[in-house]
Amino acid sequence: MKYFVLDRGDSLSRSLTGQFHALAASRGMQLSEDEPDVVLSIGGDGTMLHAFHVFKERLDSIAFVGIHTGHLGFFADWKADEIERLANLMAESGSRLQDKIVKYPLVKIELTTSFGVETFLALNEFTLKGADATLVAQLNINDSPFEMFRGDGICISTPSGSTAYNKSLGGALIHPSLEAIQIAEIASINNRVYRTIGSSLILPKHHHCDIVPKKEQKVVLTVDHLAVPHTSVLNVRSMVAERKVSFARYRPFPFWNRVREAFVGDDVK
Ligand code: NAD
């Protein structure tokens, strides 16, 4: 079994990386940056987002697993003091890794600018926001006009990203076994003159949404933790990606349990 570790770079996560290398070596696992079977992220959910983007070209052959060094994360769902148990389970599963894998949907974006078309994949979400003014954009669903949006921006998330930015926007939490994307508004303007739907929309696989910003607007496109300013966006098309991300689940940790632990807690009567 070949593995690679990406950590957040702070002293705790670096020391855990050192510990993991020692545990892995004594259990016959091989360190490989080029062809890992499993990528371990040590830090928080942000570290997993980083790991995903580093290895996004190899999604078909890699499974991710995360250790968190702070509070329980959504992608980083092993605690630092469980590192030895995780190393044992990783070594034991060896060639039976496929039995431990869960696959979650991603969102694909086709960004058309005056320079051409670029494709991006996001694990959590992408957003399109006005850079220094209100975003004004036509929203089309499956090539039919839906609404003219005015507001701070639009967030399009995956089911596993539904618990992240999307949740802060009042979007629904979606189980990652559902192949869907969710469109949530970021502070839309609604009054007698301007009108948007006001609810988040959930699109199934094979549907697509186009966001067509008003000409020559300064916008910022974010893809997970990455942000890129643009002045020449002609269209942003989003849909459920054909490719999925694999997570190695060495023990069951159902999505709804994670939601409860993260957002409700145990103190609630
Ligand atoms: P960060 O460190 O500020 O992370 C923000 C928080 O989002 C952290 O607490 C992290 O644990 C949590 N998070 C990330 N993915 C999650 C998921 N799938 N489910 C539940 N919580 C999740 O920023 P970062 O590390 O650069 O992460 C970028 C992410 O931050 C973006 O993908 C976006 O989802 C999130 N974000 C949230 C808001 C908001 O809630 N208002 C605003 C901007 C970005």
Side-chain angles (χ1 to χ4, degrees), residues 95-102 249:
S95 57
R96 289 173 292 105
L97 178 62
Q98 288 308 318
D99 304 346
K100 306 284 176 200
I101 282 176
V102 291
R249 288 272 181 261

PDB file of all heavy atoms in Angstrom, residues 95-102 249:
ATOM      1  N   SER A  95      -4.681  -4.574   0.144  1.00  0.00           N
ATOM      2  CA  SER A  95      -5.242  -4.751  -1.196  1.00  0.00           C
ATOM      3  C   SER A  95      -6.776  -4.706  -1.175  1.00  0.00           C
ATOM      4  O   SER A  95      -7.407  -4.700  -2.231  1.00  0.00           O
ATOM      5  CB  SER A  95      -4.771  -6.073  -1.777  1.00  0.00           C
ATOM      6  OG  SER A  95      -5.152  -7.095  -0.879  1.00  0.00           O
ATOM      7  N   ARG A  96      -7.390  -4.692   0.027  1.00  0.00           N
ATOM      8  CA  ARG A  96      -8.854  -4.635   0.108  1.00  0.00           C
ATOM      9  C   ARG A  96      -9.353  -3.195   0.281  1.00  0.00           C
ATOM     10  O   ARG A  96     -10.462  -2.969   0.740  1.00  0.00           O
ATOM     11  CB  ARG A  96      -9.364  -5.517   1.258  1.00  0.00           C
ATOM     12  CG  ARG A  96      -9.209  -7.009   0.981  1.00  0.00           C
ATOM     13  CD  ARG A  96      -9.553  -7.857   2.185  1.00  0.00           C
ATOM     14  NE  ARG A  96      -8.584  -7.701   3.265  1.00  0.00           N
ATOM     15  CZ  ARG A  96      -8.783  -7.019   4.390  1.00  0.00           C
ATOM     16  NH1 ARG A  96      -9.914  -6.419   4.616  1.00  0.00           N
ATOM     17  NH2 ARG A  96      -7.833  -6.937   5.303  1.00  0.00           N
ATOM     18  N   LEU A  97      -8.514  -2.254  -0.127  1.00  0.00           N
ATOM     19  CA  LEU A  97      -8.848  -0.831   0.031  1.00  0.00           C
ATOM     20  C   LEU A  97     -10.188  -0.490  -0.623  1.00  0.00           C
ATOM     21  O   LEU A  97     -10.973   0.286  -0.091  1.00  0.00           O
ATOM     22  CB  LEU A  97      -7.719   0.026  -0.568  1.00  0.00           C
ATOM     23  CG  LEU A  97      -7.912   1.534  -0.551  1.00  0.00           C
ATOM     24  CD1 LEU A  97      -8.025   2.069   0.872  1.00  0.00           C
ATOM     25  CD2 LEU A  97      -6.752   2.235  -1.259  1.00  0.00           C
ATOM     26  N   GLN A  98     -10.452  -1.100  -1.800  1.00  0.00           N
ATOM     27  CA  GLN A  98     -11.681  -0.779  -2.542  1.00  0.00           C
ATOM     28  C   GLN A  98     -12.940  -0.986  -1.690  1.00  0.00           C
ATOM     29  O   GLN A  98     -13.933  -0.279  -1.848  1.00  0.00           O
ATOM     30  CB  GLN A  98     -11.789  -1.628  -3.824  1.00  0.00           C
ATOM     31  CG  GLN A  98     -10.806  -1.218  -4.917  1.00  0.00           C
ATOM     32  CD  GLN A  98     -10.862   0.288  -5.234  1.00  0.00           C
ATOM     33  OE1 GLN A  98     -11.936   0.880  -5.307  1.00  0.00           O
ATOM     34  NE2 GLN A  98      -9.703   0.910  -5.379  1.00  0.00           N
ATOM     35  N   ASP A  99     -12.888  -1.966  -0.749  1.00  0.00           N
ATOM     36  CA  ASP A  99     -14.067  -2.250   0.102  1.00  0.00           C
ATOM     37  C   ASP A  99     -14.337  -1.112   1.081  1.00  0.00           C
ATOM     38  O   ASP A  99     -15.422  -1.032   1.652  1.00  0.00           O
ATOM     39  CB  ASP A  99     -13.841  -3.519   0.946  1.00  0.00           C
ATOM     40  CG  ASP A  99     -13.510  -4.715   0.081  1.00  0.00           C
ATOM     41  OD1 ASP A  99     -13.725  -4.614  -1.139  1.00  0.00           O
ATOM     42  OD2 ASP A  99     -13.039  -5.736   0.628  1.00  0.00           O
ATOM     43  N   LYS A 100     -13.316  -0.278   1.313  1.00  0.00           N
ATOM     44  CA  LYS A 100     -13.445   0.775   2.338  1.00  0.00           C
ATOM     45  C   LYS A 100     -13.823   2.121   1.728  1.00  0.00           C
ATOM     46  O   LYS A 100     -13.928   3.114   2.439  1.00  0.00           O
ATOM     47  CB  LYS A 100     -12.096   0.975   3.067  1.00  0.00           C
ATOM     48  CG  LYS A 100     -11.502  -0.277   3.652  1.00  0.00           C
ATOM     49  CD  LYS A 100     -12.229  -0.650   4.905  1.00  0.00           C
ATOM     50  CE  LYS A 100     -11.725  -1.961   5.482  1.00  0.00           C
ATOM     51  NZ  LYS A 100     -12.677  -2.571   6.387  1.00  0.00           N
ATOM     52  N   ILE A 101     -13.953   2.142   0.402  1.00  0.00           N
ATOM     53  CA  ILE A 101     -14.076   3.452  -0.263  1.00  0.00           C
ATOM     54  C   ILE A 101     -15.533   3.921  -0.404  1.00  0.00           C
ATOM     55  O   ILE A 101     -16.411   3.142  -0.766  1.00  0.00           O
ATOM     56  CB  ILE A 101     -13.367   3.393  -1.634  1.00  0.00           C
ATOM     57  CG1 ILE A 101     -11.862   3.505  -1.383  1.00  0.00           C
ATOM     58  CG2 ILE A 101     -13.840   4.484  -2.581  1.00  0.00           C
ATOM     59  CD1 ILE A 101     -11.022   3.378  -2.596  1.00  0.00           C
ATOM     60  N   VAL A 102     -15.763   5.200  -0.088  1.00  0.00           N
ATOM     61  CA  VAL A 102     -17.045   5.834  -0.428  1.00  0.00           C
ATOM     62  C   VAL A 102     -16.734   6.912  -1.463  1.00  0.00           C
ATOM     63  O   VAL A 102     -15.684   7.559  -1.383  1.00  0.00           O
ATOM     64  CB  VAL A 102     -17.761   6.460   0.788  1.00  0.00           C
ATOM     65  CG1 VAL A 102     -18.260   5.411   1.749  1.00  0.00           C
ATOM     66  CG2 VAL A 102     -16.888   7.476   1.505  1.00  0.00           C
ATOM     67  N   ARG A 249     -12.952   5.001   4.162  1.00  0.00           N
ATOM     68  CA  ARG A 249     -13.662   4.969   5.456  1.00  0.00           C
ATOM     69  C   ARG A 249     -13.244   3.688   6.173  1.00  0.00           C
ATOM     70  O   ARG A 249     -13.815   2.633   5.926  1.00  0.00           O
ATOM     71  CB  ARG A 249     -15.185   4.963   5.233  1.00  0.00           C
ATOM     72  CG  ARG A 249     -15.717   6.279   4.756  1.00  0.00           C
ATOM     73  CD  ARG A 249     -16.067   7.211   5.923  1.00  0.00           C
ATOM     74  NE  ARG A 249     -16.590   8.467   5.416  1.00  0.00           N
ATOM     75  CZ  ARG A 249     -15.878   9.595   5.291  1.00  0.00           C
ATOM     76  NH1 ARG A 249     -14.612   9.620   5.632  1.00  0.00           N
ATOM     77  NH2 ARG A 249     -16.430  10.689   4.820  1.00  0.00           N
TER      78      ARG A 249
END
